[in-house]
Amino acid sequence: METLNYRFEQGRRSLAAEPRIVGVVSSGNLEVLIESTPLGGACEVGIQTAAVGFGPIWQAVITDFQERWQLADTRIAINDMGATPAVVSLRLDQAVESMLGEGK
């Protein structure tokens, strides 16, 4: 297992809903827990992954996600069992959309 942590400062979009879980940890998939929490305008992303050695790919996917959503005061925890970057992006977008009430 590998643990990766990212923090992005000066987000512009806060989420006001209860914490949500999206996805299921199983072979080749992941789950995302997203919650609103006071972080001084930052967004923190913590990743536990079974796929060791993919830090640069995770960095690219998470940076792209934050550029898209500009989240503030948000903590995201990802438990990964080897999901592809496309699945990671999909699950992250689903998590935010569930907090915003979109994608129903």
Side-chain angles (χ1 to χ4, degrees), residues 19-97:
R20 304 286 171 92
I21 295 178
V22 175
V24 177
V25 175
S26 63
S27 180
N29 210 327
L30 79 156
E31 71 180 2
V32 174
L33 168 64
I34 186 169
E35 61 184 330
S36 204
T37 189
L39 294 171
C43 175
E44 294 180 346
V45 181
I47 302 161
Q48 291 283 330
T49 179
V52 177
F54 291 91
I57 294 171
W58 278 105
Q59 175 75 50
V61 170
I62 299 303
T63 299
D64 178 66
F65 165 76
Q66 180 61 9
E67 287 174 358
R68 209 168 37 253
W69 289 103
Q70 296 292 308
L71 296 179
D73 297 318
T74 304
R75 180 172 291 130
I76 299 170
I78 299 172
N79 296 310
D80 173 57
M81 293 300 291
T84 65
V87 171
V88 173
S89 290
L90 172 70
R91 292 286 180 250
L92 286 167
D93 287 346
Q94 286 176 329
V96 173
E97 289 169 356

Side-chain angles (χ1 to χ4, degrees), residues 8-28:
F8 301 92
E9 303 292 341
Q10 301 175 345
R12 293 181 292 206
R13 178 182 288 175
S14 295
L15 304 173
E18 293 295 315
R20 304 286 171 92
I21 295 178
V22 175
V24 177
V25 175
S26 63
S27 180

